[in-house]
Amino acid sequence: MLLINARYFCVTVLLVSPLLYATERCAQLPNNWPFTTISTPAHFILSLGANTQDLVKANQDAREFAKILQQHLQQKFPANQNIIYSCVLGNVTRQELDESLEKLQQLVKLSDEVYIYFSGHGTQRSNEVTETDCLDEMLVPFYKNSAQDKTPDSELMRDDEFAEEINEIANKVQNKITTILDTCFSSGMLRAPGCNLKAKMIPKQGDEEPVLPAKICAVNRQLQRLKGTLYTASREDQMAFETSSGGLLTQTLLKYWQLDLSQSLDKVFVKAAKELANKELAVKELAGNFSCQQHPEKWENGALIPLQ
């Protein structure tokens, strides 16, 4: 039986910077970030993982994704047009997440291209002002001082904050930025009813069941405001999963990419999304409910893009 958990390592430097900790971890040769902006067009990869709670493969996913993406870019572009700066941060903290995004914003320029990847838990908190479903989605970075099942809200990153930081980078590179999130935006890390899959989500303190979207709040869905291309592991109200091999989305995507590195990220994402949808239907029939469904989605500058 395939046991699945719901849903890293870094490359490091010696930089004199107000962003000391994150920039130290992003500046060790050979996969280093530059000291300052350079004139030659470049590709920046920021690949993040957080093995929080019972997740054990998020760090691995971040390493493997960055490695394959770098190989793809090296094959796609001639050597004299292929400057790649890669940073892989394992067990990334909230402070490091802020610092690394801020450092990227400082370094990039119009001719650059940016890739940001995160694997870990997602959760939700109430928001009756800016969310149509009354819930804010939140990324769960690593928090070393947390109890087994408690991470302070101050250590989480709300979708509003994440989108704001991504968009500052997007504005500098004219939206040539791709974000990949292998996480669920659910309210708790629970075993799905009638299903042998465990979700990549963290419960609110004291909650025994997920917070169910009320669908009564008034305004904008946050992910529609995020610029560039966004690939997600699941829908806004769905869980994403981790198997013994790693995040379902990440490992399925990399399986197809390793067959042919010349394929675009978009092409392998579509293949992975279709495979997961088909697998989930089989799991659903076995389990007798819809709780194990995971449908990856693509967003482009705030618009949901149908997968062809």
Side-chain angles (χ1 to χ4, degrees):
M1 180 176 68
L2 184 64
L3 181 62
I4 305 187
N5 289 331
R7 324 217 62 160
Y8 74 28
F9 172 93
C10 182
V11 190
T12 329
V13 318
L14 301 173
L15 287 182
V16 178
S17 166
L19 309 178
L20 183 61
Y21 190 40
T23 49
E24 280 184 343
R25 293 229 285 158
C26 290
Q28 179 70 46
L29 291 172
N31 295 325
N32 63 308
W33 280 1
F35 289 92
T36 60
T37 300
I38 60 169
S39 58
T40 307
H43 308 277
F44 285 86
I45 301 169
L46 177 60
S47 194
L48 311 169
N51 276 338
T52 53
Q53 311 306 312
D54 64 347
L55 293 184
V56 296
K57 296 294 184 177
N59 293 354
Q60 170 191 292
D61 287 343
R63 289 196 303 269
E64 293 180 351
F65 180 84
K67 178 181 177 181
I68 297 302
L69 173 57
Q70 187 163 352
Q71 291 175 354
H72 164 73
L73 293 173
Q74 288 170 340
Q75 185 175 110
K76 181 178 179 180
F77 297 97
N80 61 349
Q81 302 176 20
N82 193 28
I83 299 179
I84 302 171
Y85 296 105
S86 178
C87 174
V88 184
L89 292 174
N91 284 345
V92 64
T93 64
R94 170 61 195 269
Q95 179 181 348
E96 287 183 315
L97 182 52
D98 283 322
E99 290 174 349
S100 57
L101 292 173
E102 184 178 342
K103 183 63 177 177
L104 262 182
Q105 195 274 337
Q106 294 174 359
L107 288 174
V108 297
K109 58 190 179 302
L110 182 62
S111 60
D112 294 337
E113 187 174 25
V114 177
Y115 297 87
I116 296 173
Y117 171 92
F118 179 84
S119 176
H121 278 302
T123 189
Q124 292 177 323
R125 294 293 185 267
S126 296
N127 183 335
E128 298 183 3
V129 178
T130 63
E131 296 280 348
T132 56
D133 62 0
C134 308
L135 298 170
D136 256 346
E137 284 69 50
M138 308 182 80
L139 299 182
V140 184
F142 184 77
Y143 182 62
K144 61 182 178 181
N145 296 322
S146 68
Q148 178 63 25
D149 60 350
K150 296 180 180 179
T151 299
D153 281 8
S154 61
E155 297 298 318
L156 306 177
M157 177 171 276
R158 286 185 181 268
D159 49 14
D160 304 72
E161 299 166 317
F162 183 67
E164 182 178 358
E165 296 199 40
I166 295 294
N167 289 350
E168 288 180 357
I169 300 170
N171 290 338
K172 292 191 67 176
V173 298
Q174 208 168 46
N175 292 348
K176 296 191 302 296
I177 184 169
T178 300
T179 305
I180 304 96
L181 299 179
D182 194 347
T183 176
C184 52
F185 294 100
S186 301
S187 62
M189 180 172 55
L190 307 168
R191 188 171 296 280
C195 176
N196 69 330
L197 309 185
K198 197 182 232 180
K200 297 175 74 175
M201 59 183 185
I202 300 251
K204 289 181 66 174
Q205 297 178 19
D207 283 354
E208 295 181 356
E209 298 293 337
V211 176
L212 299 177
K215 302 292 183 186
I216 59 173
C217 297
V219 209
N220 296 318
R221 181 173 179 228
Q222 175 58 34
L223 290 182
Q224 291 182 330
R225 299 202 299 269
L226 190 141
K227 296 181 179 180
T229 301
L230 172 66
Y231 296 110
T232 70
S234 60
R235 295 174 183 166
E236 185 180 18
D237 59 351
Q238 284 184 324
M239 295 175 287
F241 301 98
E242 179 184 272
T243 72
S244 58
S245 300
L248 261 181
L249 171 66
T250 299
Q251 293 304 314
T252 308
L253 186 154
L254 294 182
K255 175 187 71 175
Y256 285 112
W257 221 348
Q258 288 171 317
L259 294 174
D260 181 3
L261 285 173
S262 67
Q263 298 177 97
S264 67
L265 171 58
D266 190 75
K267 186 173 183 178
V268 292
F269 175 82
V270 170
K271 290 180 179 180
K274 290 181 177 179
E275 178 177 326
L276 290 185
N278 291 332
K279 280 187 175 180
E280 288 159 3
L281 289 175
V283 172
K284 179 196 69 175
E285 293 171 0
L286 178 66
N289 61 65
F290 291 85
S291 59
C292 298
Q293 287 187 313
Q294 178 180 338
H295 293 100
E297 291 186 332
K298 176 185 177 182
W299 294 78
E300 193 77 49
N301 294 319
L304 180 62
I305 307 299
L307 300 180
Q308 300 300 322

